[in-house]
Amino acid sequence: MFSIEHEFDATVVTLVDEGTAPLGEDVIIHMFEDCVTIEQYDARTDTVQKITLSNTMVQDLTAALDLPEGVYMLKRAPD
């Protein structure tokens, strides 16, 4: 299950683990104009872990989802 919310400065996607136990904590993805952050609560440390991806990294990740094992470099259009 997941939800999508549009806020003032970001789109927020929340992923909820509905599989069999043990279930993982929810993952919250904030998509801003210049970056994407991914957050997940860590019960072991009682903190929220946060990862920030640049837009270039998100493009690479998107491409990687459809490619076989290997090392790649995407050709990017000049700005």
Side-chain angles (χ1 to χ4, degrees), residues 2-72:
F2 64 92
S3 68
I4 301 170
E5 301 171 57
H6 298 291
E7 296 182 354
F8 172 71
D9 63 344
T11 297
V12 179
V13 176
T14 302
L15 307 175
V16 179
D17 189 4
E18 294 186 294
T20 58
L23 298 177
E25 295 289 338
D26 294 357
V27 173
I28 302 171
I29 304 165
H30 297 265
M31 293 175 276
F32 299 96
E33 183 179 330
D34 60 342
C35 68
V36 172
T37 63
I38 303 169
E39 298 178 349
Q40 186 176 43
Y41 174 72
D42 183 349
R44 294 170 295 167
T45 60
D46 193 31
T47 60
V48 173
Q49 302 296 319
K50 183 178 189 177
I51 298 171
T52 301
L53 303 173
S54 69
N55 288 333
T56 300
M57 294 168 79
V58 172
Q59 291 170 350
D60 289 349
L61 176 59
T62 301
L65 294 175
D66 293 324
L67 292 169
E69 182 177 351
V71 177
Y72 301 89

